[in-house]
Amino acid sequence: MKEKLCLLFLSFLTTLTISAWSGDVTIETPNTMLVLHAREGGDLRMAYYGARVANLQQLRDAGADLNSSALPAFGTVDMVQLPALQVLHADGDLNLELQTTDYSSHAEGNAQVHVFTMQDKLQPIIVRMFYKAYRQVDIIETWTEIENGEKKPVTLKRYDSGHLVLRQGDVWITHMHGNWAAETEPTSEALTGGVKIIRNTDGARNAHLDAPEVMVSLDGRPQELTGRTIGAALCWSGNFELRFNTISHKEHHFYAGIDPQSSEYILDPKQKFETPHLALTFSNEGLSGASRNFHRWARTEGMLHRGMKVGDILLNSWEGLYFDIDEARMIQMMDDISKFGGELFVMDDGWFGDKYPRKNDTSSLGDWVVDKNKLPNGLRALTDAARERGIKFGIWIEPENVNTTSELFEQHPEWALQVKGRQLKLGRGGTQLVLDMTNPQVQDFVFKIVDDLLTQNPEIAYIKWDANASIQNFGSLYLPKNRQQNLYVDYHLGLLKTLQRIRAKYPDIVIQDCASGGGRANYGLLPYFDEFWVSDNTDALQRVYIQWGTSLFFPANAMACHINHCPYWNTGGRVIPIKFRCDVAMSGRLGIELQPKDMTDEERQQTSTCMADYKQLRPVVQTGNLYRLLSPYDRKGVASLMYTDDAQQKGVWFVYKVDNYYDQPIPRIRLAGLNPDATYTLVEKNIRVGQRPCSLSGKRFTGRFLMEVGIEVPLREEYASRVFSIES
Ligand code: GLA
């Protein structure tokens, strides 16, 4: 139902049909508010985003009304302000003068959607700007839809999802930078004059190097538990650009959208283009507060397919065996994980290929049939073995990619992205290419990989969906010659279409999102995935850092955290005690990634203890509220985080010693998120094999004491770590 709602100070509400209207539109969540000025025939203006205020007049009286274009279009706003939208019209005109023509608002699930319709003064281009405000969580999504009413195609030269204006001050941004095996290092910096751009141009994945999320701390240097903080996540899996532009002493402008480089999108007559959604939050409780809002939104509003469900404890075969799998080894691994108390076994890469069996990474992608030499009795023997052991079975695929050495490439070389006449640039293994997801036949093929696996093996409960290649060959043999520039975008639209089809048929299968580790941890794909592989680096010390950065935006039940083997090759043979390795993996969705056969008795015993304890702690860890207490990046020698349940009756607290030297001060850690008036008992969990619980275990403290005075945790030896259950 279309309603003219929320126009609080309407001038002419009663005469809508005959006269122009204007007013303030408030877009509200439980604790936040975005205010826009809308005027029929005028530019839509953004006035405010922050904590809810009861009376808008106070904003004006305090001079807090920012009054800046909500969607700066090239041609509407001052040319020194970067545009969020620019269209090349069919006649060569590059301008847009957007006038608001309509406003409506409607309920959608747990949210209220506000729609502003704007039209260019001269050309028939219609732009709809959407704001979706959730009723139970402090998230507002914004996006646009651009409709080409011209007689010929137009080009979207710039098509951001959203724009925010921020008052200047001591404003800092925190964004994730990293690489393969070193993902999500939060980098904080003060915003200064000029333009700051964060972008990713991988083509297929977008969370290695730079990720499509940013935190903005409005009160100076970012703090975990205090300070006004805006969080922004672009829900998109392809190339993106986040920009900050500081042109006056008054304002910073923030823009987020698809990176238009090589992607100036051509829109046919009557065609509409919907930009990815930009999710925004505001919190008075620092970075952790903004993170909690994102986590809650992910779990409760379908942004994470798993929702509030907890993930199983699993063993993945990759780091234990790499490509060296066979039926006997798979069954041995299933024996081990079931003895430890695990719930799922995942067979990783190496199980497929007929004419070209997958022995290493140089062949076979595309040929999704069992390698009969390695698995003579097929997948059936493995799903039977899993059932007999009381565990579930999962399998690895990499459906969007192909090796040139494969039957698929022999049959359909045209399905790979490529440029006619140019030599192929080959990726992993010297033979890997990306399939053309713009092509509906390829979409059908990818759907069929999953469909065949699951119809032929209905007991498969889990899929690890990998993507180990960037788009290096920018060309599609499917897209017409004059639509090549739509490739980067249409690839991801094709992928989303395929995932939607898979989910429509298989809503319950658990699917892990992996891309050479954490290369695809983004909110564009998570609605179709249950978790993602955080990193190919499973070194527990590095994982403290990587998981810390990942938790800025993603909830614990989305983060697959596995115990590895030592010495560990990725970090030059580092050896870390099993207790520390377990404690780090327990702070997300616990799993193991090693050959259990090679474990020592101590390692086996500790792993069993860890799994048993984790089963008790898992609901709070995986679906609780995260408080990051002491950052490993602050170089205090110790890192610490905790989770609490909504009722503040239970918590789980992790402490890791990340440095070790003589006479080292161990910081007193103040907890957070507890009820100050409740009394809690600290109970140590996953106690080190052969040791007794530490002196704190069993002691009772008030929430106020824990949060105001804090606790010194005994952490003597190198890689000391502790896990406590906090029980009221
Ligand atoms: C990628 C993934 C790994 C593993 C391998 C298999 O690197 O990130 O976890 O699945 O592929 O080839």
Side-chain angles (χ1 to χ4, degrees), residues 379-398:
L379 295 179
R380 182 66 197 271
L382 301 181
T383 53
D384 283 352
R387 185 182 350 95
E388 282 154 19
R389 285 157 184 78
I391 59 171
K392 298 174 197 160
F393 180 79
I395 195 162
W396 179 95
I397 53 174
E398 192 175 1

PDB file of all heavy atoms in Angstrom, residues 379-398:
ATOM      1  N   LEU A 379      30.631 -42.028  -3.903  1.00  0.00           N
ATOM      2  CA  LEU A 379      30.310 -41.214  -2.723  1.00  0.00           C
ATOM      3  C   LEU A 379      29.412 -41.977  -1.765  1.00  0.00           C
ATOM      4  O   LEU A 379      29.385 -41.713  -0.567  1.00  0.00           O
ATOM      5  CB  LEU A 379      29.632 -39.912  -3.155  1.00  0.00           C
ATOM      6  CG  LEU A 379      30.495 -38.951  -3.995  1.00  0.00           C
ATOM      7  CD1 LEU A 379      29.699 -37.707  -4.377  1.00  0.00           C
ATOM      8  CD2 LEU A 379      31.764 -38.556  -3.236  1.00  0.00           C
ATOM      9  N   ARG A 380      28.672 -42.939  -2.323  1.00  0.00           N
ATOM     10  CA  ARG A 380      27.738 -43.714  -1.499  1.00  0.00           C
ATOM     11  C   ARG A 380      28.469 -44.384  -0.329  1.00  0.00           C
ATOM     12  O   ARG A 380      27.992 -44.376   0.816  1.00  0.00           O
ATOM     13  CB  ARG A 380      27.051 -44.750  -2.394  1.00  0.00           C
ATOM     14  CG  ARG A 380      26.026 -45.615  -1.751  1.00  0.00           C
ATOM     15  CD  ARG A 380      24.808 -44.774  -1.294  1.00  0.00           C
ATOM     16  NE  ARG A 380      24.016 -45.506  -0.333  1.00  0.00           N
ATOM     17  CZ  ARG A 380      23.022 -46.313  -0.685  1.00  0.00           C
ATOM     18  NH1 ARG A 380      22.675 -46.444  -1.947  1.00  0.00           N
ATOM     19  NH2 ARG A 380      22.357 -46.985   0.238  1.00  0.00           N
ATOM     20  N   ALA A 381      29.664 -44.922  -0.640  1.00  0.00           N
ATOM     21  CA  ALA A 381      30.425 -45.603   0.420  1.00  0.00           C
ATOM     22  C   ALA A 381      30.779 -44.612   1.532  1.00  0.00           C
ATOM     23  O   ALA A 381      30.841 -44.963   2.715  1.00  0.00           O
ATOM     24  CB  ALA A 381      31.704 -46.204  -0.163  1.00  0.00           C
ATOM     25  N   LEU A 382      30.993 -43.352   1.143  1.00  0.00           N
ATOM     26  CA  LEU A 382      31.386 -42.355   2.144  1.00  0.00           C
ATOM     27  C   LEU A 382      30.187 -41.867   2.956  1.00  0.00           C
ATOM     28  O   LEU A 382      30.278 -41.706   4.177  1.00  0.00           O
ATOM     29  CB  LEU A 382      32.089 -41.174   1.465  1.00  0.00           C
ATOM     30  CG  LEU A 382      33.351 -41.536   0.667  1.00  0.00           C
ATOM     31  CD1 LEU A 382      33.975 -40.283   0.074  1.00  0.00           C
ATOM     32  CD2 LEU A 382      34.378 -42.270   1.535  1.00  0.00           C
ATOM     33  N   THR A 383      29.060 -41.649   2.272  1.00  0.00           N
ATOM     34  CA  THR A 383      27.888 -41.204   3.047  1.00  0.00           C
ATOM     35  C   THR A 383      27.409 -42.344   3.962  1.00  0.00           C
ATOM     36  O   THR A 383      26.970 -42.097   5.083  1.00  0.00           O
ATOM     37  CB  THR A 383      26.745 -40.691   2.139  1.00  0.00           C
ATOM     38  OG1 THR A 383      26.440 -41.681   1.168  1.00  0.00           O
ATOM     39  CG2 THR A 383      27.114 -39.393   1.452  1.00  0.00           C
ATOM     40  N   ASP A 384      27.553 -43.592   3.486  1.00  0.00           N
ATOM     41  CA  ASP A 384      27.199 -44.735   4.358  1.00  0.00           C
ATOM     42  C   ASP A 384      28.104 -44.755   5.584  1.00  0.00           C
ATOM     43  O   ASP A 384      27.647 -44.909   6.717  1.00  0.00           O
ATOM     44  CB  ASP A 384      27.393 -46.065   3.607  1.00  0.00           C
ATOM     45  CG  ASP A 384      26.253 -46.343   2.623  1.00  0.00           C
ATOM     46  OD1 ASP A 384      25.263 -45.587   2.651  1.00  0.00           O
ATOM     47  OD2 ASP A 384      26.393 -47.295   1.811  1.00  0.00           O
ATOM     48  N   ALA A 385      29.408 -44.578   5.320  1.00  0.00           N
ATOM     49  CA  ALA A 385      30.372 -44.642   6.432  1.00  0.00           C
ATOM     50  C   ALA A 385      30.095 -43.535   7.449  1.00  0.00           C
ATOM     51  O   ALA A 385      30.195 -43.745   8.664  1.00  0.00           O
ATOM     52  CB  ALA A 385      31.798 -44.518   5.891  1.00  0.00           C
ATOM     53  N   ALA A 386      29.733 -42.350   6.950  1.00  0.00           N
ATOM     54  CA  ALA A 386      29.443 -41.241   7.863  1.00  0.00           C
ATOM     55  C   ALA A 386      28.224 -41.592   8.718  1.00  0.00           C
ATOM     56  O   ALA A 386      28.247 -41.442   9.946  1.00  0.00           O
ATOM     57  CB  ALA A 386      29.203 -39.963   7.068  1.00  0.00           C
ATOM     58  N   ARG A 387      27.178 -42.067   8.056  1.00  0.00           N
ATOM     59  CA  ARG A 387      25.957 -42.407   8.805  1.00  0.00           C
ATOM     60  C   ARG A 387      26.251 -43.442   9.872  1.00  0.00           C
ATOM     61  O   ARG A 387      25.809 -43.333  11.021  1.00  0.00           O
ATOM     62  CB  ARG A 387      24.875 -42.915   7.842  1.00  0.00           C
ATOM     63  CG  ARG A 387      23.546 -43.159   8.526  1.00  0.00           C
ATOM     64  CD  ARG A 387      22.463 -43.717   7.624  1.00  0.00           C
ATOM     65  NE  ARG A 387      22.748 -43.740   6.222  1.00  0.00           N
ATOM     66  CZ  ARG A 387      23.249 -44.808   5.568  1.00  0.00           C
ATOM     67  NH1 ARG A 387      23.515 -45.931   6.212  1.00  0.00           N
ATOM     68  NH2 ARG A 387      23.465 -44.755   4.269  1.00  0.00           N
ATOM     69  N   GLU A 388      27.044 -44.478   9.490  1.00  0.00           N
ATOM     70  CA  GLU A 388      27.359 -45.544  10.457  1.00  0.00           C
ATOM     71  C   GLU A 388      28.087 -44.991  11.680  1.00  0.00           C
ATOM     72  O   GLU A 388      28.017 -45.537  12.773  1.00  0.00           O
ATOM     73  CB  GLU A 388      28.228 -46.614   9.791  1.00  0.00           C
ATOM     74  CG  GLU A 388      27.405 -47.551   8.905  1.00  0.00           C
ATOM     75  CD  GLU A 388      28.257 -48.176   7.794  1.00  0.00           C
ATOM     76  OE1 GLU A 388      29.503 -48.174   7.923  1.00  0.00           O
ATOM     77  OE2 GLU A 388      27.663 -48.628   6.781  1.00  0.00           O
ATOM     78  N   ARG A 389      28.825 -43.917  11.482  1.00  0.00           N
ATOM     79  CA  ARG A 389      29.577 -43.320  12.602  1.00  0.00           C
ATOM     80  C   ARG A 389      28.816 -42.201  13.301  1.00  0.00           C
ATOM     81  O   ARG A 389      29.354 -41.506  14.167  1.00  0.00           O
ATOM     82  CB  ARG A 389      30.930 -42.804  12.089  1.00  0.00           C
ATOM     83  CG  ARG A 389      31.889 -43.950  11.831  1.00  0.00           C
ATOM     84  CD  ARG A 389      32.973 -43.621  10.846  1.00  0.00           C
ATOM     85  NE  ARG A 389      33.778 -44.815  10.590  1.00  0.00           N
ATOM     86  CZ  ARG A 389      33.396 -45.823   9.781  1.00  0.00           C
ATOM     87  NH1 ARG A 389      32.226 -45.777   9.161  1.00  0.00           N
ATOM     88  NH2 ARG A 389      34.166 -46.883   9.619  1.00  0.00           N
ATOM     89  N   GLY A 390      27.596 -41.978  12.866  1.00  0.00           N
ATOM     90  CA  GLY A 390      26.763 -40.963  13.527  1.00  0.00           C
ATOM     91  C   GLY A 390      27.171 -39.538  13.215  1.00  0.00           C
ATOM     92  O   GLY A 390      26.914 -38.625  14.005  1.00  0.00           O
ATOM     93  N   ILE A 391      27.838 -39.347  12.076  1.00  0.00           N
ATOM     94  CA  ILE A 391      28.213 -37.982  11.694  1.00  0.00           C
ATOM     95  C   ILE A 391      27.644 -37.673  10.299  1.00  0.00           C
ATOM     96  O   ILE A 391      27.170 -38.560   9.607  1.00  0.00           O
ATOM     97  CB  ILE A 391      29.748 -37.774  11.704  1.00  0.00           C
ATOM     98  CG1 ILE A 391      30.434 -38.757  10.744  1.00  0.00           C
ATOM     99  CG2 ILE A 391      30.307 -37.877  13.105  1.00  0.00           C
ATOM    100  CD1 ILE A 391      31.920 -38.480  10.543  1.00  0.00           C
ATOM    101  N   LYS A 392      27.750 -36.395   9.923  1.00  0.00           N
ATOM    102  CA  LYS A 392      27.272 -35.982   8.594  1.00  0.00           C
ATOM    103  C   LYS A 392      28.446 -35.925   7.623  1.00  0.00           C
ATOM    104  O   LYS A 392      29.602 -35.897   8.044  1.00  0.00           O
ATOM    105  CB  LYS A 392      26.614 -34.605   8.690  1.00  0.00           C
ATOM    106  CG  LYS A 392      25.395 -34.567   9.595  1.00  0.00           C
ATOM    107  CD  LYS A 392      24.911 -33.137   9.733  1.00  0.00           C
ATOM    108  CE  LYS A 392      23.988 -32.990  10.921  1.00  0.00           C
ATOM    109  NZ  LYS A 392      23.877 -31.607  11.360  1.00  0.00           N
ATOM    110  N   PHE A 393      28.106 -35.830   6.330  1.00  0.00           N
ATOM    111  CA  PHE A 393      29.147 -35.824   5.309  1.00  0.00           C
ATOM    112  C   PHE A 393      29.026 -34.573   4.435  1.00  0.00           C
ATOM    113  O   PHE A 393      27.931 -34.168   4.047  1.00  0.00           O
ATOM    114  CB  PHE A 393      29.021 -37.080   4.429  1.00  0.00           C
ATOM    115  CG  PHE A 393      30.062 -37.151   3.346  1.00  0.00           C
ATOM    116  CD1 PHE A 393      31.354 -37.575   3.638  1.00  0.00           C
ATOM    117  CD2 PHE A 393      29.755 -36.764   2.047  1.00  0.00           C
ATOM    118  CE1 PHE A 393      32.328 -37.622   2.638  1.00  0.00           C
ATOM    119  CE2 PHE A 393      30.719 -36.813   1.039  1.00  0.00           C
ATOM    120  CZ  PHE A 393      32.009 -37.246   1.346  1.00  0.00           C
ATOM    121  N   GLY A 394      30.182 -33.980   4.126  1.00  0.00           N
ATOM    122  CA  GLY A 394      30.205 -32.793   3.268  1.00  0.00           C
ATOM    123  C   GLY A 394      31.262 -32.925   2.179  1.00  0.00           C
ATOM    124  O   GLY A 394      32.164 -33.754   2.259  1.00  0.00           O
ATOM    125  N   ILE A 395      31.173 -32.069   1.171  1.00  0.00           N
ATOM    126  CA  ILE A 395      32.046 -32.209   0.002  1.00  0.00           C
ATOM    127  C   ILE A 395      32.430 -30.832  -0.555  1.00  0.00           C
ATOM    128  O   ILE A 395      31.673 -29.876  -0.448  1.00  0.00           O
ATOM    129  CB  ILE A 395      31.317 -33.069  -1.065  1.00  0.00           C
ATOM    130  CG1 ILE A 395      32.277 -33.565  -2.129  1.00  0.00           C
ATOM    131  CG2 ILE A 395      30.138 -32.325  -1.694  1.00  0.00           C
ATOM    132  CD1 ILE A 395      31.715 -34.735  -2.931  1.00  0.00           C
ATOM    133  N   TRP A 396      33.630 -30.779  -1.175  1.00  0.00           N
ATOM    134  CA  TRP A 396      34.171 -29.540  -1.762  1.00  0.00           C
ATOM    135  C   TRP A 396      33.873 -29.474  -3.253  1.00  0.00           C
ATOM    136  O   TRP A 396      34.014 -30.470  -3.960  1.00  0.00           O
ATOM    137  CB  TRP A 396      35.683 -29.551  -1.540  1.00  0.00           C
ATOM    138  CG  TRP A 396      36.464 -28.382  -2.091  1.00  0.00           C
ATOM    139  CD1 TRP A 396      36.831 -27.269  -1.400  1.00  0.00           C
ATOM    140  CD2 TRP A 396      37.035 -28.239  -3.405  1.00  0.00           C
ATOM    141  NE1 TRP A 396      37.577 -26.427  -2.204  1.00  0.00           N
ATOM    142  CE2 TRP A 396      37.714 -27.004  -3.447  1.00  0.00           C
ATOM    143  CE3 TRP A 396      37.025 -29.021  -4.560  1.00  0.00           C
ATOM    144  CZ2 TRP A 396      38.384 -26.535  -4.575  1.00  0.00           C
ATOM    145  CZ3 TRP A 396      37.687 -28.550  -5.704  1.00  0.00           C
ATOM    146  CH2 TRP A 396      38.365 -27.319  -5.697  1.00  0.00           C
ATOM    147  N   ILE A 397      33.479 -28.294  -3.737  1.00  0.00           N
ATOM    148  CA  ILE A 397      33.381 -28.059  -5.178  1.00  0.00           C
ATOM    149  C   ILE A 397      33.882 -26.648  -5.496  1.00  0.00           C
ATOM    150  O   ILE A 397      33.929 -25.783  -4.609  1.00  0.00           O
ATOM    151  CB  ILE A 397      31.923 -28.203  -5.721  1.00  0.00           C
ATOM    152  CG1 ILE A 397      30.954 -27.322  -4.914  1.00  0.00           C
ATOM    153  CG2 ILE A 397      31.485 -29.641  -5.746  1.00  0.00           C
ATOM    154  CD1 ILE A 397      29.534 -27.305  -5.468  1.00  0.00           C
ATOM    155  N   GLU A 398      34.233 -26.437  -6.744  1.00  0.00           N
ATOM    156  CA  GLU A 398      34.627 -25.093  -7.186  1.00  0.00           C
ATOM    157  C   GLU A 398      33.914 -24.834  -8.514  1.00  0.00           C
ATOM    158  O   GLU A 398      34.517 -24.842  -9.591  1.00  0.00           O
ATOM    159  CB  GLU A 398      36.153 -25.015  -7.341  1.00  0.00           C
ATOM    160  CG  GLU A 398      36.621 -23.594  -7.508  1.00  0.00           C
ATOM    161  CD  GLU A 398      38.138 -23.451  -7.543  1.00  0.00           C
ATOM    162  OE1 GLU A 398      38.853 -24.471  -7.463  1.00  0.00           O
ATOM    163  OE2 GLU A 398      38.594 -22.305  -7.656  1.00  0.00           O
TER     164      GLU A 398
END
